Amino acid sequence: MSHFDTVTQAPADPILSITEAFKADPNPEKINLSVGVFVDDSGATPILDTVREAEKRLAETNATKSYLPITGSPNYAALTQACCFGDDLAGELNSRIVSAQTPGGTGALRVAADFVSGNLDTKKVWLSNPTWANHRGIFAAAGLEISVYNYFDSARLRLDYPAFIESIQAVPAGDIVILHACCHNPTGADLSPEQWDEVARIASDKGWIPLLDFAYQGFGIDLDSDAYAPRAMARAGLPLLVCQSFSKNLGLYRERVGALHILVGDEEEAGRVVSQVKIAIRTNYSNPPAHGGALVETILGDPALRERWIEEVAAMRKRIATLRREFVDALAAAGVTQDFSFLIDQKGMFSFTGLTKEQAITLRENHSIYIVDSGRINVAGITSENLPRLVSVLKEILG
Ligand code: LMR
């Protein structure tokens, strides 16, 4: 008899467990298209040159390892607000934005969830169908009830805009609607600026609160265009939560660098909101880790370094866009009859292939090709070396 007899086996994480299985696979030709991590054409996830430069500078100038404030560095808050909202709007809104430096975008989501659960009238959040596999767990862990809104036509593998609009029109006032600001995860199907304007109008008419998961800024069109949603919603005068991540666009995955921004009505409200955000953080992890945030501050705070970083983000984005086209062309050239042209216009790392769970398992078990069981692939995991085998296996499976 053990005190741990009551512990049951939990299901494996639907995304990260696939990478664990990939790592354990001895096949030298194995291909990992599961977790959202950028690789270059050699299959490596490089440290950006600007990050290396920032690390050098920090090694020389870092003066202490003492704690950061509960909400992190104020300079980090200002720089990440500007990255999200643009310099002018961030300047205008500054006294109305409550910001916290968080351990990754996931940390921002969990702090947001705890804040909502403990402080707002609503106990309900609405998730995109489909959405990032971890959203449900994060919001449920904070004690919130989950509903879903329609987003994607899984037969046509495209955004179902009319069904989406109908769904979000039915969301009750005060509820939280989780939206992907750009590079929708897992489908890659994004909204246009006009469509975001309509979503902002609906949020305003119906009185629900948008929460933008903003993990891929710069991987869609460019850093500013990808920030259309938070900027449009802020200009529309909406209350707003944004969960920002620098894992992808600075390649800082393991450093866990993110931010939560909550846009409220006035300075007095901001004072009360920040007091509760501090409680959510203090009771979770006390205060944020400093190193990744200091890298972001060094890069975003130095105009020359920032320019170089913008080019590095553009290079990653262009590689993914090129891969999308090459993948579609190679599938067609191999004689795959199914139309995959939708992959070309989709944004960011991910796309839904329409492959079934059974096909995903066959790919993994028979061919050492690792994709998420939902059929999601990380396009950024394709390289010129693995593309021919990927395409020939897909031809075998799809005919
Ligand atoms: C993903 O969706 O693959 C990434 O956001 C990484 C993760 O934590 O799941």
Side-chain angles (χ1 to χ4, degrees), residues 15-16 34-36 132 185 216 248 350 376:
I15 297 172
L16 300 184
S34 61
V35 69
W132 180 43
N185 179 3
Y216 297 89
K248 326 283 168 169
F350 305 117
R376 185 192 86 169

Side-chain angles (χ1 to χ4, degrees), residues 8-68:
T8 56
Q9 183 69 40
D13 183 84
I15 297 172
L16 300 184
S17 68
I18 309 280
T19 288
E20 283 168 27
F22 167 82
K23 284 187 178 151
D25 186 340
N27 183 346
E29 296 202 310
K30 62 189 177 177
I31 302 173
N32 188 9
L33 305 182
S34 61
V35 69
V37 172
F38 177 86
V39 301
D40 62 19
D41 201 46
S42 75
T45 301
I47 297 178
L48 300 188
D49 286 346
T50 50
V51 168
R52 281 205 189 280
E53 170 66 27
E55 289 198 306
K56 252 190 242 152
R57 290 188 196 176
L58 280 178
E60 282 157 19
T61 56
N62 236 345
T64 182
K65 294 287 184 189
S66 181
Y67 295 121
L68 283 178

Side-chain angles (χ1 to χ4, degrees), residues 97 132 145 234 291:
I97 310 177
W132 180 43
E145 210 185 299
H291 182 67

Side-chain angles (χ1 to χ4, degrees), residues 287-309:
N287 50 72
H291 182 67
L295 296 173
V296 172
E297 282 179 58
T298 307
I299 294 167
L300 296 188
D302 175 316
L305 220 44
R306 191 187 144 85
E307 276 314 305
R308 277 169 58 197
W309 169 63

Side-chain angles (χ1 to χ4, degrees), residues 63-121:
T64 182
K65 294 287 184 189
S66 181
Y67 295 121
L68 283 178
I70 296 174
T71 51
S73 149
N75 184 42
Y76 178 86
L79 290 165
T80 57
Q81 282 173 9
C83 189
C84 177
F85 294 102
D87 290 334
D88 294 349
L89 192 57
E92 247 171 73
L93 298 173
N94 181 267
S95 63
R96 291 171 44 210
I97 310 177
V98 170
S99 291
Q101 178 176 344
T102 56
T106 305
L109 285 162
R110 183 57 199 267
V111 172
D114 283 344
F115 168 75
V116 168
S117 168
N119 298 283
L120 302 193
D121 274 345

Side-chain angles (χ1 to χ4, degrees), residues 1 7 12 97 123 126 135 164 166-167 201 226 240 328:
M1 167 73 189
V7 181
I97 310 177
K123 294 291 168 257
W126 293 74
H135 272 155
F164 167 58
E166 198 183 323
S167 278
R201 269 197 304 278
D226 290 353
L240 176 67
V328 171

